[in-house]
Structures are given as structure tokens and as C-alpha cells.
Amino acid sequence: MESLLNIGIVRWFDNRLPLLSYTQHHMMDYPAPRNLNYAWNFGSLAGLALVIQIVTGIVLAMHYTPHTEMAFDSVERIMRDVNYGWLIRYIHSNGASFFFIVVYLHVFRGLYYGSYKAPREVLWWIGLVILLCMMGTAFMGYVLPWGQMSFWGATVITNLFSAIPLIGTPIVEWLWGGFSVDNPTLNRFYALHYLLPFVIVGLVVLHLWALHHKKSNNPLGIDYKGPQDFIPFHPYYTIKDAFGVGVFLIVFAAFLFYAPNYMGHPDNYIPADPLKTPAHIVPEWYFLPFYAILRAIPDKLGGVIAMGLSIGILFLLPWLDTSRVRSATFRPVFKWFYLLMLIDMGILGYVGSQPAEGDWIWIGQLATAYYFIHFLVLLPLIGWFERPRPLPDSIAKPVLAAGPVPGVGAAHDKA
Amino acid sequence: MAEHTIGAHEETRRDFLYVATGAVAAVGAACAVWPLIDQMNPSADVLAISSTEVDLGPVEVGQQITVKWRGKPLFVRHRTEADIEEARAVPLEDLKDPQTDAERVEKPEWLVMVGVCTHLGCVPLADQGDFNGWFCPCHGSHYDTSGRIRRGPAPENLTVPGYAFTDDTTIVVG
Ligand code: HEM
Ligand code: FES
């Protein structure tokens, strides 16, 4: 980069539009804490997943027809006739799942190391808005192939708005552009499915802006004291991220080539039938915990509110968690409750995949109650009563004590 | 203009102009936004096909047909005497959405309703559930032989659309 800037014409251009210096500043010189562990790989992986979705999505759009009479057949044509169509569609449908996997891991990283705390509240908020946009995008994308799950998923989810008193039904008919999910709905979902990923790109820019403004959190969760706490992003973390990409692609390819339909639902290979609901409808796996919360409340409006709040309260997390210590490494009590919360979310996800009957009902209700108790009651209390372990003096000290190699072999335990 | 000095809090004609300009711009913007919102509402052609004629002639006693109306399933059920008796026998205080059977039919033997669960819109299955009526498999709502909600998360009875008999065996819905 630096040498590029020595070339006259490049310098002339950069002087007028500092593209190169910006890249240099943010992707190479960016001072990153020297102790980041592999939990910090998921941000760049999420970025990669977004790029994969956009590229394969635009290619799919060249062959897809957004009409109720033709959508299903056009997707089947992509699978059978279009050159490499099967591959591109499988990358896109599995890519959505992998996007959620890495983003959820990214979020759990933040929850463990307290990355949502001051001064990174706005960074955390933007992340949550990105998550909400992803959910909208994935939901509308799943409608596009116009299979049975597409149609009934769209019907059930849009009907959530009918729970709003008085204006609920007009809102739902406005969303549908008719009196049921139909061609106008498919058309607008397609338009929005194309648009939202680019909105996400814009949000990612804001996310990184906020990140580079306050700098990355780190596994110790302590503030940086000086230049000795940092190493330049390039080459140390570019290579570490590249290694992560390699691992990610291996796992991704394993699903792509050996189990491309593992995370999908077979009913979506049946064309949509507005007169017949499949016996057991379930959302995609990444929505299951929220679906379980929706069903846990035996009241229509109450269920919708609880589901909305399950993400809504995360916006207040920086204040709900009263502990000043960021990293769970130094929080002996929080650590265990963090684990309990993970288990609780796992249970919610499993309950969401089961029919709402028998024991699943009370298990789902208990797990939902615990979810809210964790964030609204336990987190504030733990912060008050817990005695954190002593924090190290600086980021550099334990790292450098562990050996001469910068950025590796940090002496701390992982999640 | 002397009143333009910084920190002066007197109200001036200029303040009025600012507020008036802002108000006009806001109203103008709101008017321009409305078409962009309203275009998503059901369009004229969608509204135009919203009534349907149903021939009841071929429907035997105890049989149910499903026709498509406004893109949704419409249940037309030729009820048996037993169905009607059972529906009438239910005390109103047992109902989540209290409605007598008579309020839900034009002629007792013909039950006409939108086959869309009032919970989140799935199509309930006929002759199932704990009340001999309909059962919605999505989240477990049970409806009785009058299509009234008896158990489960659905808040209301299955909707009875506006319809009229044009002769003994024909109805027009919508
Ligand atoms: C945030 C990024 C994105 C996510 C999470 C996402 C997710 C999805 C999902 C879950 C499906 C259904 C796949 C299936 O079951 O077949 C889908 C389909 C589709 N997406 Fe995307 N998508 C994204 C970006 C895009 C972009 C940028 C385009 C560009 C136009 C696009 C175009 C399409 C098309 C045409 C389909 C229908 C074909 C099919 O079903 O395979 N997507 N998307
Ligand atoms: S849609 Fe019928 S019970 Fe939920």
C-alpha cells in the first residue's frame, strides 16, 4: 500500500479521493488488541457470508421469476437446467444458515466478553439492528421458492401483526396487498429481499465505524493503556481471519456437497397450496427459539409481544448488566449463569421445533420465563453481588509474559 | 435586522416564516409519502374479484366443500341434525368468543365460514379436535360444530363472511 502511494498518479488520485489511505488506515494499520482469540473471527466471517449471499443472490435473480404461477418452477429450473444452478442455489440457501451460525456465535462472543458495555453501546445496537434486518431478509427469501413452507411461514408470520388491536387487520392486508398471501405479497417480498442486504451493507459500515472509533474489546475486557497493547491489524489479524475463512469454508462445503438439504424442510419442495396447511409447520432453525417464545404465551397479542421483547430487551443490556467488569473470565458467578442461558436458549430452540402439545408446552413456558428472568432479574443482581477476580494491569503484560510471539498464546481461558 | 442578534429570544416575523415554511414542507412531504404507502394496499383488480357465487346443490348432508374466496379457503358445510343440536346445546358462558349458533348461520343446515384459523391463519382440519368441529394443527386450536373457538390460542370464532341466498341452493359471498 505504502509503496503504491509512491506512484505519482496513485498519489494524485488518493489526494483527491483518499480511498487507498482509508483502506490502509482501517484494514491494515488499525491498531487491534494484541490478545484477540478465535472468538474474534466471527465478525469477518459474517462479512464474508454477507458477500456470498449478495453474489449468489444476484445470480439467482437472473433466473428466478417472482410470480405465484412460475416461482416454484423457476427455482426447479435453476436446480435442474441452469448451469451450476443447483450449486448456486445451495450456496444461497445453506449460506443463509451459515450466516446465522456465525452471527449468533459473534453475538455470544459479545455476551461472554461484555462487548456491549460502555463505550460500545451504539456498536451493540447497530449489531442488533443488523440481526433484525437479517431476520427480515431471510424470512422474505424463504418465501420466494413458493413451496408449502414458504407460503404458510409467510401466512403465520404476517398474521402476527393482526394481534395489534384495531389496526391489526388493515396492517396485515396492507402487507399482503390483498386478503391473503398472494402474488402482490410475493412481488413485494422479492423487491425487499433484494433491497435489505444492501441496507445491511450500509449498517455494517456504521458498525465498523463505531468499532474503529472506540476500538475492539478483547478477551480480558480491560481498557487499553498504550501502544504496547496493540498490534497492527495487518498482517496479524488478516492472516488469523484468513485461517478462520479456511475452516469456515471446509465446514460450509461439507454441508453444501454432502447434506445440502439437511437444514431445510422437505415440505418446501411441495408447491404452495393456499387451501391446505402442512400438518406440522416449523420455521427455519434460526428462528426456532423465538418461535418457542411466541407459542409459550397462550394469548395471541401476549405471544407476539414476548417474542418482540426477547430481542428488544437486548437493546437495554448495557444497563441491565450492572457489573463494571466486561469479560466473563473475571466474573466467577456470571460465567455459570452465562452457561445456563446458553442451555436455556438451546432448550427453547428444541421446543420450537416440536409440536405445541403435551409436555412441550410447560417446558417452553419455563424456558421462556427463564430467558426473561436471566436478563431482567439475574443480570442486574449478579452485577451487585458478585465479587470479580482481580483484573490484570494491562493487555500487554500477560501476553508478553506468555512468550515473545505477538498476538498468540494469550494466558487466559476461553468460552 | 436588529432582531437577528445571537441569543435574542424575542419572537420575530422571521421565526414565524421559519415555522410556516417548516409546516408547509412537512405537510407536503406527508402528502407525497401517502401514495407510496397506499400503493401497497389491495389494488382495484384485487378488490374487484372479491365476491364469489357458490352452488350448494351437490353438497350432501354431512359433507363440506372448500371453495376459494379472496384467495382464502371458504368452508361450506351441510350440517347434520346432530351437528346443529350440539352447537345449540353449548351454554354461552363456555365460549371464549360468545355467539349463539343462530347468529352464525342464515339457514341452520348451512354453515358458511372463512376456513382460516383466527390465531395465525392456518387452515383448520374438518372433523377433528375435541369438539367434533375443526382442529388447527399449527398451534392447536379446537373449534366446535358451529366453528366457534373452544380451546387453544385462537382468540375468535371462525369468521362468518357476509353472504346471501340468491335462491334455495345458491349463495353469493362477499
Ligand atoms: C442478507 C443476505 C441474504 C440472506 C440471509 C438471504 C436468504 C435467502 C433465503 C433463506 C432464501 C431461500 C432459499 C431456499 O430455500 O431456496 C433466499 C432465496 C433467494 N434469494 Fe436471498 N438472501 C440474501 C441476499 C440476497 C440478495 C442480495 C439477492 C439478490 C437479488 C437474493 C436473491 C434471492 C433469490 C432470487 C431467491 C430465490 C431463489 C431460491 O429460493 O433459491 N438474496 N434468500
Ligand atoms: S394458526 Fe391455528 S392455532 Fe395458530
Side-chain angles (χ1 to χ4, degrees):
Chain A
M1 279 281 176
E2 225 118 8
S3 51
L4 269 181
L5 279 172
N6 290 334
I7 304 170
I9 179 139
V10 176
R11 198 169 51 239
W12 178 91
F13 185 89
D14 197 70
N15 189 259
R16 279 146 188 83
L17 179 68
L19 264 184
L20 229 63
S21 342
Y22 266 64
T23 314
Q24 163 104 30
H25 185 69
H26 285 287
M27 312 278 285
M28 302 173 80
D29 297 344
Y30 172 67
R34 61 194 319 152
N35 60 342
L36 298 186
N37 60 26
Y38 277 112
W40 265 259
N41 275 57
F42 296 109
S44 66
L45 289 179
L48 174 68
L50 179 60
V51 171
I52 291 177
Q53 289 308 96
I54 290 178
V55 171
T56 52
I58 291 173
V59 172
L60 286 172
M62 295 178 188
H63 304 280
Y64 170 78
T65 315
H67 189 285
T68 51
E69 308 272 306
M70 291 174 265
F72 188 88
D73 291 347
S74 75
V75 173
E76 283 307 300
R77 198 184 141 265
I78 291 172
M79 294 302 284
R80 291 152 198 255
D81 298 337
V82 174
N83 299 335
Y84 290 107
W86 60 273
L87 178 62
I88 291 157
R89 173 165 181 250
Y90 278 153
I91 294 177
H92 197 75
S93 57
N94 285 278
S97 279
F98 273 81
F99 197 1
F100 275 96
I101 292 173
V102 292
V103 164
Y104 282 150
L105 290 172
H106 186 66
V107 173
F108 285 127
R109 183 281 317 262
L111 290 173
Y112 188 79
Y113 294 108
S115 301
Y116 45 85
K117 293 184 193 182
R120 297 185 184 82
E121 301 93 325
V122 173
L123 176 60
W124 173 252
W125 285 346
I126 297 169
L128 289 175
V129 176
I130 292 175
L131 179 61
L132 291 173
C133 286
M134 275 176 67
M135 290 176 155
T137 309
F139 161 65
M140 288 190 276
Y142 194 59
V143 176
L144 302 183
W146 209 244
Q148 273 290 66
M149 282 296 162
S150 301
F151 183 89
W152 292 102
T155 298
V156 167
I157 299 302
T158 48
N159 261 308
L160 292 178
F161 292 91
S162 72
I164 303 168
L166 296 175
I167 51 166
T169 306
I171 287 184
V172 173
E173 285 174 1
W174 176 75
L175 287 172
W176 288 340
F179 302 104
S180 61
V181 172
D182 209 331
N183 200 46
T185 327
L186 178 59
N187 269 267
R188 62 192 56 179
F189 278 18
Y190 183 45
L192 294 173
H193 183 72
Y194 210 133
L195 167 72
L196 273 179
F198 296 93
V199 173
I200 295 177
V201 170
L203 288 165
V204 168
V205 171
L206 293 182
H207 197 66
L208 291 178
W209 188 1
L211 174 73
H212 285 207
H213 184 57
K214 285 294 167 193
K215 304 279 178 289
S216 311
N217 185 28
N218 65 84
L220 297 176
I222 56 177
D223 289 324
Y224 38 86
K225 300 269 156 45
Q228 73 279 9
D229 289 344
F230 294 117
I231 44 176
F233 192 78
H234 180 75
Y236 297 108
Y237 289 114
T238 42
I239 198 65
K240 191 165 179 168
D241 279 346
F243 177 71
V245 167
V247 175
F248 171 84
L249 289 179
I250 290 171
V251 183
F252 189 31
F255 270 87
L256 212 54
F257 294 110
Y258 295 98
N261 290 305
Y262 180 76
M263 289 183 282
H265 198 293
D267 276 30
N268 221 28
Y269 284 106
I270 303 170
D273 178 357
L275 301 186
K276 193 172 170 296
T277 311
H280 182 41
I281 62 165
V282 279
E284 293 283 88
W285 70 264
Y286 35 82
F287 292 132
L288 289 175
F290 305 102
Y291 194 56
I293 292 176
L294 167 77
R295 297 192 305 184
I297 315 284
D299 174 75
K300 182 165 152 181
L301 181 59
V304 175
I305 291 176
M307 186 171 72
L309 282 181
S310 63
I311 292 194
I313 55 169
L314 295 181
F315 281 87
L316 299 179
L317 193 56
W319 298 275
L320 288 171
D321 184 346
T322 48
S323 173
R324 302 282 295 275
V325 175
R326 292 196 193 98
S327 174
T329 311
F330 304 103
R331 300 189 58 191
V333 182
F334 170 82
K335 217 178 197 170
W336 289 106
F337 282 96
Y338 176 86
L339 190 67
L340 276 181
M341 179 205 54
L342 284 191
I343 295 172
D344 186 59
M345 289 184 186
I347 294 175
L348 279 174
Y350 192 75
V351 170
S353 72
Q354 298 300 311
E357 54 194 38
D359 288 341
W360 295 119
I361 295 182
W362 67 261
I363 297 176
Q365 288 172 339
L366 217 65
T368 300
Y370 186 78
Y371 179 90
F372 285 102
I373 290 172
H374 173 84
F375 287 106
L376 295 175
V377 181
L378 296 177
L379 272 191
L381 287 182
I382 295 168
W384 280 106
F385 293 113
E386 178 183 56
R387 241 184 91 182
R389 286 172 35 211
L391 296 176
D393 299 334
S394 79
I395 294 173
K397 233 165 99 182
V399 177
L400 297 182
V405 193
V408 254
H412 53 73
D413 37 13
K414 281 209 284 175
Chain B
M1 281 209 164
E3 67 270 13
H4 204 63
T5 43
I6 292 166
H9 283 289
E10 267 173 87
E11 283 172 25
T12 64
R13 284 199 288 178
R14 176 154 298 182
D15 288 335
F16 173 77
L17 284 177
Y18 281 147
V19 173
T21 311
V24 169
V27 171
C31 291
V33 163
W34 177 245
L36 294 175
I37 295 175
D38 192 40
Q39 52 81 22
M40 280 177 62
N41 272 315
S43 54
D45 61 324
V46 172
L47 293 170
I49 49 167
S50 57
S51 76
T52 300
E53 204 178 76
V54 186
D55 178 13
L56 305 181
V59 189
E60 304 286 339
V61 176
Q63 205 190 355
Q64 170 183 318
I65 58 165
T66 305
V67 288
K68 209 167 161 186
W69 175 66
R70 290 181 163 186
K72 300 178 189 185
L74 187 77
F75 292 164
V76 179
R77 190 175 182 91
H78 198 165
R79 294 194 296 181
T80 62
E81 276 309 315
D83 286 340
I84 301 170
E85 287 308 312
E86 195 179 331
R88 284 181 177 164
V90 181
L92 275 191
E93 57 270 24
D94 283 4
L95 298 173
K96 189 173 186 180
D97 179 13
Q99 237 185 352
T100 63
D101 186 56
E103 288 172 70
R104 297 180 51 78
V105 288
E106 296 285 325
K107 298 182 179 178
E109 63 272 32
W110 293 105
L111 180 62
V112 179
M113 28 182 217
V114 179
V116 171
C117 180
T118 59
H119 182 226
L120 295 174
C122 294
V123 179
L125 305 166
D127 304 307
Q128 288 191 34
D130 296 348
F131 299 89
N132 302 321
W134 287 263
F135 172 70
C136 180
C138 287
H139 317 97
S141 289
H142 301 251
Y143 298 89
D144 66 14
T145 57
S146 189
R148 292 172 299 197
I149 178 67
R150 300 299 293 278
R151 192 189 309 145
E156 286 163 23
N157 302 334
L158 292 176
T159 310
V160 176
Y163 67 97
F165 279 86
T166 49
D167 61 50
D168 274 355
T169 56
T170 315
I171 54 170
V172 173
V173 189

